Structures are given as structure tokens and as C-alpha cells.
Amino acid sequence: MTYNRAQRFIYPFGNGDLALDMDAYTLDCSQYASQHALEIAIHDQWHEKGLVVLVNTGMQHLSELERWSAIIYQDFNAYEGGAAPRSKWSDAVYSIDDTPPHIDMGYHNEGCYLSVSPRCLVLGSMDCPKTGGWTLASDNEVTTDELLKTDIGQKLQKHGVRYVRNMTDKHGDNTIVHKHWQDTFLTESREDVERYVLAEGWDHQWMPDGILRTSYWADAFEYNEKLGKNLFFANLANHGLFFDQWHPFNTLLDEERPHTMLVGDGTPFTEEDIATIYAINNKASLGLRWQDADVALIDNERWSHARPAYAIQPGEARVMGVTTGMLKKRVGSRF
Ligand SMILES: [Fe+2]
């Protein structure tokens, strides 16, 4: 049996029209006389716009993303506590192709559900389908302004959000597996996990079938020093509806799915809330139309990102990697 919402939220990306153009954020690496000149341009644009798309990088392997990332940051994140399954291209470069293509990944800010989250993510492409497979990026300053005009925006500002996560046991016999707690916390030890969740102030529960359920509150906004503003930092990609299109997770109730979200006062997001947040996402977004060896440096606070479902044709592939870093201990909202 599939658990159905009254309304199905298949395409969380507005009407598909994009307000911004990627070209306004693109630097062509082949046009710079030296690597030094290119790096100065990258830094300038990073500070001004928080988004730098690089084309004609000459990248041969996704492990080279470490070198491109290092122009902006060197403190690479090990993805401890991360919610998505991830395989790796190198020590710091993770695959982002572990979620099936037919799943819409809604807008989100990387690691927004953790107390320490990356200020920057760097995405790179080595292969992409002829159509689709884009990443969308949305100007979070615009999204935040629009959201705060709505009831759900005000509610989130007042109450924050609650994240509920269910992680299976690698050595258990669960048949519906998204991510094991051992892979989330990079340990085999329950004691290590308990130390982590205690330090974070998370509620946790070991379920009879070995599943670890955590539940914790977080501010839905994050103060951005550069802009001097609170920015929305809790999009709906971590809500149980992420699994609505994904069998067999869609046979589970929201609270049993690998992750879901509540408003911080414990009330569920209504379907109207979800529709409102989705409608706002595309107010200022652009499509990263990946070509081979493209790289994008994205400020994780100033921009949220998403990946609509896509289809692979015979002979095509989508091969992408990501690094995250420039770690920041979250401060939440400031008034
Ligand atoms: Fe992401």
C-alpha cells in the first residue's frame, strides 16, 4: 500500500520558468591569461554573488574538484551526520548520483539539519544527459523575503523546525533501507552515536528492529554576515514527501520514512504550507545546464539548490561530484 497525501507534489519547481540566467554567473576559464587571474575573478565573484559557474575547466576526473574547491576553502567536510547515501570519488569528493533519477530533489541548503553546516559546496560534472539533469539554484535572499510574507514563513520564524530521522542497522534485517546509522555517523559503535547525539542535544531512540530514530529542533533561518540578514535555511527536501515518488519508502508513513520534518511547535506542515514553500522556490532561480567538466561554486546560505527528476537515454550518463566545506557552526536567526 502506498501512503498518499490528498494532493500529490510531483514537481516542486514552480511552473518550470527560470527567472535568472546562468550566463550572468559564468566565467570561461579559457579566457584568462593565467590561473592567478582566474582565481582573482573567482574570488571577486564569490564575494559579490555567492555563485560562480566555471566552464572550460579542462577537468579530467572528479577528484580534481578538490583543487577547484581549494581556491575558496581547504576545510573539506567528511559528511558525518549527513542524511543522503553517498559514495566517493576521492577523499573529499562525493558522488551526488545515489538518488534515483526519477526522484525530484527539492530545494535545500546542504547540511541545514546539522549544527555545523558548510558555507560552500562545489559541484562538478564529468558527463550529463543531452536534456535534463540540471541543478537549479535559487537566490535565497529573494526566497526568504517572499517566505516571510506568508503565514508558514512567520510560523517557521517563530517556531523553527523539527527534524525526524530513521536510520537502519547495517547488521539488521530491515528490507527498506535508505541509510544505515553506521554510515551516517561513520562508526560501528552505538556508544559513539550516543556521544554524538548527546553532544548535539538530539532526542534519540533505539527501535526494536535496530533502527535509530532521532528527533531534534533547529532554527529555520540562519544569519548571514555578508548580507546582514537572516536567510531561510530549512527547505522541504528533508520532509517525508521527498519519498512520495520512491518505492518502497512511499509505503511508509511520514514519521517512519528515512527523514521528515515538522514545524518546530510539533505540528505537521499542511499541504497548503508545502504548496506555498514550493511556489516561492522559483522566484529567483536559474538552471545549471551542465556540460562536461563544468564546475559551480555555490554559497550554501545565499543560494539553495535542487535537482528535478530527469531521464537517461541509452548511452547517456550523469556523472557528478561534490565537495562541501568552509564549515560554520550555525548561529540561527539574529534580530
Ligand atoms: Fe544538495
Side-chain angles (χ1 to χ4, degrees):
M1 188 191 82
T2 300
Y3 170 68
N4 282 317
R5 269 163 249 289
Q7 190 179 344
R8 291 192 77 199
F9 295 97
I10 294 299
Y11 191 66
F13 309 112
N15 58 9
D17 289 337
L18 299 171
L20 307 176
D21 189 350
M22 178 183 97
D23 293 346
Y25 298 84
T26 299
L27 301 180
D28 182 344
C29 299
S30 67
Q31 299 302 306
Y32 290 83
S34 67
Q35 179 68 17
H36 181 65
L38 174 61
E39 292 188 10
I40 289 173
I42 291 172
H43 274 280
D44 287 350
Q45 187 166 314
W46 170 259
H47 289 292
E48 187 195 341
K49 299 180 175 176
L51 175 61
V52 186
V53 183
L54 302 172
V55 299
N56 294 321
T57 64
M59 183 168 66
Q60 299 284 320
H61 189 271
L62 284 168
S63 58
E64 293 170 45
L65 276 182
E66 290 190 27
R67 187 165 60 78
W68 289 104
S69 307
I71 295 171
I72 298 289
Y73 64 88
Q74 284 83 38
D75 59 330
F76 294 106
N77 190 5
Y79 203 59
E80 186 182 17
R86 287 272 165 96
S87 48
K88 293 177 88 168
W89 289 101
S90 72
D91 277 355
V93 181
Y94 289 81
S95 167
I96 58 168
D97 299 301
D98 296 299
T99 300
H102 74 281
I103 304 299
D104 280 315
M105 295 187 69
Y107 282 97
H108 60 283
N109 306 91
E110 216 56 45
C112 61
Y113 48 87
L114 300 173
S115 63
V116 176
S117 49
R119 279 297 315 277
C120 183
L121 66 151
V122 175
L123 294 170
S125 167
M126 283 311 293
D127 206 350
C128 46
K130 282 207 168 46
T131 55
W134 295 7
T135 301
L136 304 184
S138 181
D139 184 332
N140 207 15
E141 198 176 356
V142 178
T143 306
T144 302
D145 287 347
E146 292 293 324
L147 183 67
L148 287 172
K149 293 175 191 165
T150 68
D151 289 345
I152 182 61
Q154 288 296 314
K155 212 170 154 190
L156 287 168
Q157 187 176 51
K158 185 171 178 196
H159 298 295
V161 285
R162 177 162 287 275
Y163 293 106
V164 178
R165 296 167 62 183
N166 293 293
M167 293 156 260
T168 46
D169 182 351
K170 189 183 259 178
H171 309 295
D173 36 45
N174 302 286
T175 52
I176 302 181
V177 173
H178 182 251
K179 192 164 186 178
H180 300 306
W181 60 259
Q182 288 91 342
D183 297 327
T184 301
F185 297 101
L186 312 178
T187 179
E188 288 285 327
S189 155
R190 281 190 177 206
E191 289 73 27
D192 285 350
V193 173
E194 283 167 3
R195 262 193 297 279
Y196 182 104
V197 298
L198 201 72
E200 292 295 316
W202 297 0
D203 294 335
H204 78 285
Q205 203 179 344
W206 295 103
M207 313 294 273
D209 48 7
I211 288 177
L212 171 65
R213 176 173 294 175
T214 60
S215 167
Y216 52 96
W217 181 90
D219 200 314
F221 294 80
E222 179 68 12
Y223 183 75
N224 183 272
E225 296 279 352
K226 171 91 183 166
L227 301 175
K229 285 176 113 169
N230 298 320
L231 297 175
F232 186 43
F233 206 60
N235 265 294
L236 290 176
N238 284 87
H239 191 283
L241 64 86
F242 173 71
F243 296 97
D244 279 5
Q245 301 158 270
W246 193 347
H247 188 81
F249 303 109
N250 57 5
T251 63
L252 303 171
L253 295 170
D254 274 349
E255 60 266 30
E256 297 167 339
R257 294 185 183 190
H259 47 70
T260 194
M261 296 161 68
L262 300 165
V263 180
D265 62 359
T267 57
F269 284 84
T270 66
E271 300 201 359
E272 190 188 343
D273 295 337
I274 293 166
T276 300
I277 294 170
Y278 274 179
I280 286 170
N281 278 146
N282 257 26
K283 293 282 182 185
S285 62
L286 55 84
L288 299 170
R289 308 181 300 269
W290 297 111
Q291 302 290 321
D292 292 1
D294 284 356
V295 171
L297 298 87
I298 304 173
D299 186 317
N300 190 39
E301 285 180 8
R302 293 175 67 180
W303 294 84
S304 58
H305 62 281
R307 192 223 65 195
Y310 62 98
I312 291 280
Q313 303 305 322
E316 288 187 342
R318 185 177 188 266
V319 181
M320 294 194 61
V322 62
T323 73
T324 57
M326 198 185 281
L327 297 177
K328 173 188 171 186
K329 184 153 181 58
R330 284 199 59 189
V331 298
S333 304
R334 281 192 188 155
F335 297 100

